[in-house]
Amino acid sequence: MKKQLTDAELDELIRLSLKKEAEYKEPDMDEAWRKFVKRKRRKDLEKVSKYVAIAASFLILFAIFAFPTNAKAVSKKIILTVENLLGGNVKNIGVGTGDKEDVVVKEKPVGQKEAVTLEEAKEKAGFPLSIPSYLPDGFALKEALIQPVGKKNIVSIRYEGNNGYVVLIQKISPESHAQGSSFDTEDGRSEQVDIDGQTGNLTLLKDNNFRLIWGTHTSYTLYGKLPSEEILKVARSIK
Amino acid sequence: MNLDGIISLFQVNKDAAFRILFEKYYKKVYKAVYYLTKDYGISEDCAQEAFIVAYKKLHQLKEPEKFEAWVCKIAINIAKKQVNNRVLLTDSAGAIETKDESHKTMEDSLIVKEMLAKLPPEYRETVYLRYYVDLRVEDIAEILDAPVGTIKSRLSRFGEIIRKNY
């Protein structure tokens, strides 16, 4: 039998035992506050979005009844205004061909991704597959995947190097098409770039992460982690 | 600045006042969730969400001195919703750090751990909130929706068990 513990000794014993059981690293308070502010802003925006969306729905209904012949045009203006209002720090970018208003989003059956060799990807793609002729030093092919979406295929090719990676996604879009992405302006910036006469949208994010979209009848998305000076070299070598 | 002052400041400058509250209590709220989840990511998520709720509903808090218990309670409830509490509170076997410890300290820690494992979940939660998160008995009562007497009795019972087995 050991000695009787005093209250203070008992408290200390329990405290130390639990501390050992669940040791943890303290959070960085500046980082925690930054995340809180960002999360709060996002929540506020979501709240505003709900009200704006409801208001927009009423306005569109009103436009249909009040101006039946001009309803489509009025509604488009309302929707554009709502897009700007809801934008906030989130910037939407996009590229495409054809009349934007004619692009109809249809749900298409998506098949399983299949790992293939580059040669098999060329055979199965159903369109002339483009490959980069330039890659940064040390980069090599990691994998190629093909995935049926509707009647067409999407091909994804990934290259990896010591300090980064790059993924090229391509699909054929014979008629009009549009593609886009969005990002928080606090996390990055976007700019228009020229890729052999085609206009692309390059989004540069933190830590050398990027996303570049361009294309006319074949649409390309190039994303990954590369020094900014290498991104366009790779993109412009894709033939 | 005391809590009354901070809450008053909140009426005129929400962000400045809330930053003070955040700096003062975030670590404790984070710790209160960490003892349940043992996961940094979930703990951060729950603590952050709790402060978002607190920011929105601070005007509903009638007694400023209860802010700490109130925000801890919000965070713990969020954590419990995310993860199965029963599993969390019993899933700590083998977590004791033995590096650089004397044999006696190890043995003592094992006694506490073993005794704690045998307690019902509400007792364990009470012990953790008191000795790990370092909350006052009144705050624990507020968080667990139990009378102060019940909390004291649970702590006292646990003390007796440790003394008997020490």
Side-chain angles (χ1 to χ4, degrees):
Chain A
M1 174 69 76
K2 297 180 187 177
K3 65 159 185 159
Q4 184 70 22
L5 287 169
T6 64
D7 287 349
E9 286 171 337
L10 178 72
D11 282 2
E12 192 58 15
L13 170 64
I14 301 171
R15 220 178 283 278
L16 279 174
S17 301
L18 297 187
K19 190 180 168 197
K20 285 177 206 304
E21 189 187 325
E23 274 182 315
Y24 85 120
K25 68 169 187 249
E26 293 213 330
D28 175 332
M29 288 305 293
D30 287 335
E31 179 69 5
W33 177 253
R34 197 186 66 78
K35 284 183 179 172
F36 171 76
V37 171
K38 198 170 173 180
R39 181 185 280 238
K40 189 179 158 297
R41 199 178 291 147
R42 199 176 62 235
K43 296 259 177 186
D44 290 345
L45 192 63
E46 281 169 8
K47 197 176 168 186
V48 173
S49 305
K50 265 193 220 164
Y51 293 121
V52 174
I54 292 167
S57 305
F58 278 112
L59 281 172
I60 290 168
L61 279 174
F62 174 75
I64 289 167
F65 285 111
F67 318 104
T69 49
N70 296 322
K72 193 178 170 190
V74 174
S75 300
K76 266 180 212 158
K77 279 195 175 176
I78 292 168
I79 289 166
L80 280 175
T81 309
V82 169
E83 274 180 1
N84 287 335
L85 278 172
L86 297 183
N89 279 354
V90 179
K91 185 162 184 177
N92 299 301
I93 53 168
V95 293
T97 59
D99 184 352
K100 190 183 172 187
E101 290 152 20
D102 293 338
V103 176
V104 178
V105 179
K106 290 178 190 163
E107 208 166 293
K108 294 174 183 170
V110 178
Q112 291 290 317
K113 282 181 188 170
E114 182 193 352
V116 290
T117 64
L118 215 46
E119 290 311 311
E120 287 170 335
K122 283 178 184 170
E123 282 171 25
K124 293 181 177 180
F127 57 90
L129 198 67
S130 303
I131 306 289
S133 56
Y134 170 81
L135 288 169
D137 278 347
F139 271 60
L141 176 70
K142 176 74 178 170
E143 68 174 357
L145 300 169
I146 190 160
Q147 183 177 32
V149 177
K151 291 176 183 170
K152 295 169 194 142
N153 289 309
I154 293 180
V155 177
S156 161
I157 307 168
R158 182 183 178 98
Y159 301 90
E160 285 185 6
N162 289 334
N163 297 311
Y165 70 98
V166 62
V167 179
L168 171 65
I169 298 172
Q170 48 195 309
K171 61 183 173 187
I172 193 145
S173 311
E175 300 103 26
S176 60
H177 84 282
Q179 59 169 331
S181 65
S182 62
F183 66 98
D184 193 318
T185 51
E186 279 189 4
D187 294 334
R189 61 190 170 85
S190 83
E191 58 189 66
Q192 284 204 338
V193 292
D194 177 80
I195 300 160
D196 292 340
Q198 295 182 51
T199 302
N201 256 304
L202 173 62
T203 306
L204 295 164
L205 302 164
K206 287 176 182 169
D207 303 325
N208 281 339
N209 285 294
F210 74 96
R211 177 175 287 268
L212 172 60
I213 52 176
W214 79 99
T216 49
H217 297 308
T218 305
S219 67
Y220 300 97
T221 300
L222 188 70
Y223 72 89
K225 188 173 181 176
L226 277 185
S228 55
E229 66 275 12
E230 296 279 24
I231 298 166
L232 288 178
K233 280 192 202 172
V234 175
R236 287 173 182 150
S237 80
I238 294 170
K239 298 280 189 302
Chain B
M1 190 184 290
N2 63 19
L3 265 171
D4 279 327
I6 301 170
I7 305 285
S8 302
L9 176 64
F10 190 75
Q11 314 302 323
V12 287
N13 189 340
K14 284 189 173 188
D15 287 346
F18 204 77
R19 176 88 197 245
I20 299 171
L21 289 172
F22 190 90
E23 294 281 347
K24 204 171 161 79
Y25 296 107
Y26 181 81
K27 281 183 185 171
K28 195 165 267 192
V29 173
Y30 180 91
K31 201 172 178 184
V33 179
Y34 185 74
Y35 92 89
L36 273 172
T37 66
K38 307 273 169 50
D39 182 295
Y40 294 125
I42 297 175
S43 304
E44 181 184 71
D45 194 48
C46 297
Q48 292 268 337
E49 196 56 35
F51 275 92
I52 294 279
V53 175
Y55 187 96
K56 283 181 190 163
K57 298 189 173 175
L58 194 61
H59 63 281
Q60 295 176 8
L61 184 67
K62 300 282 183 283
E63 298 164 84
E65 69 277 9
K66 289 189 175 169
F67 179 82
E68 185 178 67
W70 180 61
V71 71
C72 279
K73 185 177 183 175
I74 297 169
I76 287 171
N77 285 340
I78 293 170
K80 283 178 179 173
K81 271 184 196 166
Q82 283 200 19
V83 204
N84 184 324
N85 185 33
R86 204 156 38 85
V87 172
L88 286 167
L89 281 174
T90 54
D91 187 24
S92 56
I96 288 183
E97 178 64 65
T98 55
K99 199 167 57 178
D100 297 333
E101 277 187 308
S102 70
H103 181 71
K104 184 183 174 307
T105 317
M106 265 172 60
E107 197 182 299
D108 293 346
S109 292
L110 277 171
I111 292 170
V112 174
K113 187 172 146 58
E114 277 175 25
M115 296 304 114
L116 196 58
K118 288 178 184 170
L119 291 176
E122 63 273 19
Y123 273 71
R124 281 203 296 277
E125 198 163 8
T126 304
V127 172
Y128 270 106
L129 289 173
R130 177 74 192 99
Y131 293 104
Y132 180 69
V133 187
D134 217 14
L135 290 172
R136 296 181 312 145
V137 169
E138 293 76 12
D139 290 337
I140 300 169
E142 186 75 25
I143 291 169
L144 299 182
D145 284 325
V148 171
T150 305
I151 301 300
K152 282 182 178 168
S153 149
R154 286 176 190 169
L155 293 171
S156 161
R157 176 87 189 103
F158 184 61
E160 280 170 28
I161 293 170
I162 297 296
R163 279 200 170 99
K164 266 188 201 165
N165 290 278
Y166 184 72

